[in-house]
Amino acid sequence: MLPSSHFTEKEKQALNSFRQQTGIIEQVREGRGTRYVIKDRDSLMLHLTTWRPHEATDLETELPPRAINIATTRDSKRGSHHHEIHYLLLKATGNQVCWASTDGQSLDLSRQTQQSGAGAIAIHASDAWQTASPLWLVENQAMFDRMDWLPKGTEASVCLYQGQLHGLLLKWLQTRQRAPEVILFPDYDGVGLLNYARLLEHCQSPCQFWLMSDWESLLTTYGNPDIWNRPKNLEDFHNAKRRLASQPAANTLLPLMNTMQTKGLALEQEVLWLQPLCP
């Protein structure tokens, strides 16, 4: 028996709902308060087993977190469900782009790109993967599929990150200098600017936000007010502006951010192919 005063209001609501549905426990008055009493312990244990097939202490610690969640809650996403490994999808531009690790692993990314179109490495924060060429991070697949937009003579790895820089990628960039330079080329919107703020806060390599030449003309001609006015975009933009204010490396972005805010426009990165048409 436990007095009801031992439980929060939310817990009491759950207990009362369970009591009404099953009759396995009851609420009895005692003095000025009430107590919860178990009427059928065997049925209660059966219900607890249904909700939680196993206790975490009964499971092997080597099991993946999502498997443990299924075993303990029947839901892979309840509790801790992060992955320990992230996969970098990479393409090389140039003929001498390689990745290597101090444990003897290596990837000739130029050759892999020529043979199969792309390469990949599995990364985690404690590994030693590095490259002697710049690393470009692009948000959208079009920029990854077709790389004729890159400056002529670029010798680099291009990584597709699709929307948000993954937390494991940022943690990996934080543990050591992975490349001589990391260049972010996102959409010019709140998400893109916030990703740059996160990158500057974590990355051990020098970082650059890539500004297209004639970005102001492109923004004026092709900028999108609907994207700009989305509440999430505005929230991300102001959050990014606040965080970038403390980063000297972000000073070159002030004209872009002020123009975006003044004109109320965001710009998608595929506009780069429209530069010859821009007045």
Side-chain angles (χ1 to χ4, degrees):
M1 294 191 300
L2 283 174
S4 58
S5 59
H6 282 200
F7 301 97
T8 66
E9 288 301 317
K10 192 172 183 179
E11 288 170 338
K12 284 189 279 190
Q13 290 175 8
L15 284 168
N16 288 331
S17 176
F18 182 70
R19 173 178 59 82
Q20 294 167 4
Q21 291 173 8
T22 67
I24 292 174
I25 62 173
E26 64 178 347
Q27 188 177 24
V28 297
R29 183 164 294 281
E30 185 175 272
R32 294 184 177 181
T34 60
R35 286 181 176 268
Y36 290 100
V37 180
I38 299 172
K39 294 174 60 179
D40 186 341
R41 182 170 293 275
D42 290 339
S43 294
L44 177 61
M45 295 308 296
L46 181 61
H47 270 276
L48 292 176
T49 301
T50 300
W51 291 334
R52 182 183 290 268
H54 299 281
E55 292 294 328
T57 53
D58 299 331
L59 302 171
E60 296 180 10
T61 56
E62 293 81 8
L63 286 171
R66 290 168 69 96
I68 292 175
N69 291 342
I70 294 172
T72 56
T73 67
R74 295 177 179 265
D75 186 345
S76 68
K77 297 179 180 62
R78 185 171 295 176
S80 174
H81 60 272
H82 65 278
H83 298 288
E84 295 180 356
I85 294 175
H86 181 66
Y87 296 90
L88 282 192
L89 183 60
L90 300 164
K91 291 176 76 171
T93 175
N95 299 317
Q96 305 294 325
V97 181
C98 296
W99 286 79
S101 176
T102 53
D103 61 6
Q105 293 180 297
S106 64
L107 172 66
D108 186 336
L109 185 59
S110 293
R111 176 176 292 184
Q112 189 69 42
T113 302
Q114 292 166 5
Q115 291 179 343
S116 59
I121 55 175
I123 62 169
H124 54 86
S126 60
D127 71 38
W129 283 108
Q130 291 177 299
T131 180
S133 303
L135 173 62
W136 286 69
L137 304 174
V138 297
E139 182 173 349
N140 299 327
Q141 186 171 333
M143 317 309 292
F144 189 74
D145 291 341
R146 177 177 158 179
M147 300 196 297
D148 57 350
W149 53 270
L150 282 160
K152 287 185 178 180
T154 297
E155 187 107 2
S157 300
V158 179
C159 173
L160 176 65
Y161 68 89
Q162 291 188 313
Q164 290 286 356
L165 293 175
H166 198 283
L168 287 177
L169 172 58
L170 291 172
K171 191 173 182 181
W172 179 76
L173 290 168
Q174 189 173 27
T175 54
R176 65 174 65 217
Q177 184 168 315
R178 304 292 182 174
E181 184 179 22
V182 176
I183 304 164
L184 181 71
F185 180 30
D187 289 334
Y188 294 178
D189 59 8
V191 173
L193 291 165
L194 187 55
N195 272 322
Y196 186 53
R198 296 169 66 217
L199 186 65
L200 287 174
E201 291 164 359
H202 289 84
C203 190
Q204 290 293 319
S205 300
C207 297
Q208 176 190 158
F209 184 104
W210 197 59
L211 285 169
M212 296 177 272
S213 61
D214 299 326
W215 61 262
E216 188 166 5
S217 296
L218 291 168
L219 181 69
T220 301
T221 305
Y222 301 111
N224 189 312
D226 293 332
I227 295 176
W228 173 261
N229 287 312
R230 291 171 185 168
K232 184 64 168 65
N233 174 73
L234 294 173
E235 178 186 348
D236 286 347
F237 177 85
H238 291 295
N239 188 11
K241 194 172 184 181
R242 175 180 55 80
R243 289 165 69 166
L244 289 170
S246 62
Q247 298 283 354
N251 288 341
T252 57
L253 289 184
L254 288 175
L256 172 67
M257 290 189 289
N258 291 337
T259 304
M260 290 170 63
Q261 193 166 16
T262 300
K263 294 180 179 291
L265 297 171
L267 190 65
E268 295 172 283
Q269 62 184 167
E270 293 89 347
V271 74
L272 192 59
W273 284 297
L274 300 179
Q275 272 185 324
L277 304 178
C278 191

